[in-house]
Amino acid sequence: MQLIIQHLSKTYPNGVKALDDVSLTIPMGMYGLLGQNGAGKSTLMRTLATLQDADTGTAMLDDLDILNQKEAVRRVLGYLPQEFGVYPKVSATDLLDHFIVLKGITNGRERKELVEALLHRVNLYEHRKKAVSSYSGGMKQRFGIAQALIGNPKLIIVDEPTAGLDPGERNRFYNLLSEIGENVIVILSTHIVQDVMELCNNMAIIHQGRVLYSGSPMASVVELKGKIWEKSISKSDLLAYQQRYNVISSKLVAGKPLVHIFSEVDPSMDSPGDGFVSAQPDLEDVFFSTIQGDRLPAR
Ligand code: ADP
């Protein structure tokens, strides 16, 4: 099974081009869609989840035409939207049962068994009688995954699932996502590089509606080997460095900016100068260098 998206474009009535000729081939397993806020991720996720239409392009899940066979797609789709609204005061058991009915499973006994199995699976069984609206952010997201798993979907879409989770909750959520079967396609949209690094075998970087990179996170990091240099500088010098070098990121380490620059120096030279030392590239370097200047070839 694979999902093939070809030439998908979408311009909103206000003129914003949210998707600009997006083409992607998404294999089974966990796929990361990485982009800053406003990049077009939700627009793509909602389109694939049959909730809105594209202007042009196609999306095929094997033989299934996602843009035109919406009812059939919904039967094999699990979706965790960015904003997962819940009714106040409804318990996890009742709410999940409600979603199961909506998914077309009406047999009472089957429903009861499914509710229990799903709540066990996402580790919420002991909290099943509490209102979902009273759950912590991480518990709500795990509940969201339980509802997305109803009916053994083949395509699971999770939109920005870890935004706002504390590190412990994020870890539990990662573990849960990584346990979802390998025989499904899981598309995870996120602006958090770590999400993709920890979970995904394949990814795309999307920026201003365009795909700037697609491939394996590991391969993208290898492509940057020898091109990333770092130096700890003082805050007051940052602007000068930004003017002189291709600064791709700067983060505070022990109160001082540690800048990463992109530089393709001659291999016979051991530094681009100024005391920069070679840094081991990581996915964050890939992400920032890609969205700043298309330095990796788009595929
Ligand atoms: P992301 O999920 O990556 O943050 P979105 O798909 O939500 O990106 O948004 C992409 C762009 O489209 C943004 O500039 C956003 O402001 C705009 N946009 C999103 N939804 C709408 C809408 N319903 N009407 C007009 N513009 C929208």
Side-chain angles (χ1 to χ4, degrees):
M1 185 174 62
Q2 60 181 1
L3 171 61
I4 300 180
I5 298 166
Q6 285 182 311
H7 307 300
L8 212 58
S9 291
K10 169 76 182 178
T11 302
Y12 285 110
N14 62 359
V16 173
K17 190 155 203 175
L19 297 177
D20 186 358
D21 198 23
V22 168
S23 295
L24 290 171
T25 297
I26 300 183
M28 285 204 281
M30 197 76 77
Y31 192 93
L33 187 68
L34 184 59
Q36 291 176 316
N37 288 333
K41 303 180 299 295
S42 287
T43 301
L44 181 58
M45 302 287 92
R46 288 197 304 262
T47 307
L48 296 175
T50 74
L51 297 173
Q52 70 179 58
D53 291 320
D55 299 329
T56 54
T58 58
M60 301 290 296
L61 182 66
D62 287 344
D63 295 338
L64 198 57
D65 180 343
I66 293 194
L67 306 185
N68 293 305
Q69 294 175 274
K70 293 187 181 167
E71 277 307 313
V73 173
R74 286 174 195 152
R75 282 195 286 275
V76 298
L77 173 77
Y79 177 52
L80 175 56
Q82 205 171 69
E83 297 283 323
F84 184 64
V86 292
Y87 309 101
K89 297 201 181 135
V90 181
S91 72
T93 304
D94 289 347
L95 190 56
L96 199 52
D97 184 61
H98 171 71
F99 285 125
I100 290 172
V101 173
L102 290 181
K103 201 91 188 183
I105 302 166
T106 49
N107 178 295
R109 191 194 164 110
E110 199 183 334
R111 271 166 33 209
K112 188 165 184 294
E113 281 171 9
L114 190 54
V115 166
E116 291 188 358
L118 286 169
L119 289 174
H120 276 299
R121 179 129 182 228
V122 299
N123 224 344
L124 286 175
Y125 188 75
E126 62 181 289
H127 304 290
R128 67 191 179 282
K129 291 181 183 152
K130 291 186 192 147
V132 178
S133 55
S134 72
Y135 278 4
S136 71
M139 290 163 77
K140 269 191 197 137
Q141 289 303 67
R142 281 186 281 140
F143 180 84
I145 288 294
Q147 67 77 31
L149 290 175
I150 297 167
N152 295 321
K154 290 200 283 184
L155 174 63
I156 298 175
I157 292 175
V158 279
D159 199 357
E160 294 272 358
T162 64
L165 301 191
D166 69 38
E169 285 177 329
R170 180 173 297 166
N171 240 338
R172 279 191 288 277
F173 192 75
Y174 281 166
N175 284 328
L176 174 62
L177 274 185
S178 68
E179 281 165 15
I180 294 176
E182 287 171 355
N183 298 327
V184 294
I185 295 174
V186 182
I187 309 178
L188 168 85
S189 95
T190 183
H191 65 276
I192 300 168
V193 173
Q194 197 191 352
D195 288 354
V196 174
M197 212 162 63
E198 300 209 6
L199 291 167
C200 303
N201 305 325
N202 290 287
M203 67 158 188
I205 294 175
I206 181 169
H207 187 58
Q208 294 174 346
R210 292 194 302 127
V211 174
L212 299 187
Y213 178 84
S214 69
S216 93
M218 209 90 101
S220 70
V221 171
V222 170
E223 281 182 51
L224 276 188
K225 222 168 168 353
K227 297 174 187 167
I228 301 296
W229 307 81
E230 70 181 12
K231 185 182 177 187
S232 175
I233 63 170
S234 57
K235 271 183 204 160
S236 54
D237 291 339
L238 185 57
L239 192 63
Y241 277 91
Q242 279 166 335
Q243 283 163 350
R244 173 130 194 243
Y245 293 102
N246 223 333
V247 173
I248 57 173
S249 69
S250 133
K251 60 181 160 203
L252 289 179
V253 175
K256 280 182 81 180
L258 178 71
V259 293
H260 274 203
I261 63 167
F262 177 93
S263 176
E264 291 183 279
V265 291
D266 185 318
S268 64
M269 293 169 55
D270 57 3
S271 163
D274 264 347
F276 274 96
V277 296
S278 178
Q280 197 71 294
D282 60 22
L283 200 55
E284 208 167 273
D285 294 317
V286 171
F287 181 53
F288 288 119
S289 64
T290 303
I291 63 175
Q292 281 171 31
D294 300 34
R295 287 194 193 90
L296 290 168
R299 275 167 233 169

